[in-house]
Amino acid sequence: FVYQDTVKLIYDCKVKFSLYISLQGKLHLTGFMEPESLREILAGAVAVVLPVRWPEGFGRVPLEAYRESVPVIATNRGGFKELIQHEKTGWLIDTPNAELFALRMEECLKHPEQSRKCGETGRVMIEDKFQPKAIAARFNDLYTRIHQA
C-alpha cells in the first residue's frame, strides 16, 4: 500500500527486486491480512502495488482495493490484465521493473485526486461486473443463449 509521501524503490540487478525504503511508515508491506484489518488499511491508501513476477490467475487483491476506491499498480501479467484497465482503474507495468513502479507510485503521490478517480472507476466496475446479481444475470444470459442455440 502506498501512502501520501515519498517512495523510493530501486532496482538492483543482483537481488533482482529489492526495496530500499526510507518511508517512516508511509509504505506498508503487510503480507497476509485478516479481512477486518484490510478495509481500515485500504481506507488511507493512495494505491495498492502488485509487482508480481508470475502470472496471477485471478487476483482478488485488485477487487478488494477497488471496493475501497483505491487504484492498483500491477505487473501486466495473468488475470491482472482483465481486472485493471490501464489509466482508468489503475496502471499496468509491462515488466516487474522497480524503476517504472517507483515512477508510477510517485505520480500517484503527486496527484492523489487522479489516483482516487481511478479507484472510484474501479469500484464502479466491480459493482457492475462482480456483484452476485451481475454474475447471476450473465449466467442467465449465457444459459438462455445456449438453450436457444
Side-chain angles (χ1 to χ4, degrees), residues 15-102:
V15 181
K16 296 206 174 159
F17 220 156
S18 296
L19 290 172
Y20 292 87
I21 304 169
S22 59
L23 298 175
Q24 301 165 0
K26 300 301 177 187
L27 177 67
H28 297 271
L29 304 174
T30 63
F32 175 80
M33 293 186 66
E34 295 295 332
E36 310 84 54
S37 305
L38 183 61
R39 286 188 116 154
E40 182 181 317
I41 293 224
L42 284 171
V46 175
V48 169
V49 183
L50 302 167
V52 300
R53 299 180 67 76
W54 61 90
E56 288 276 334
F58 181 86
R60 198 174 103 189
V61 175
L63 300 181
E64 292 169 338
Y66 294 153
R67 183 182 63 207
E68 303 303 321
S69 298
V70 177
V72 179
I73 305 167
T75 312
N76 191 9
R77 297 199 171 167
F80 292 154
K81 294 184 275 189
E82 293 178 43
L83 297 173
I84 301 165
Q85 298 171 8
H86 185 65
E87 296 184 346
K88 291 181 182 171
T89 64
W91 298 270
L92 292 166
I93 309 293
D94 285 329
T95 61
N97 180 305
E99 199 172 314
L100 295 175
F101 273 90

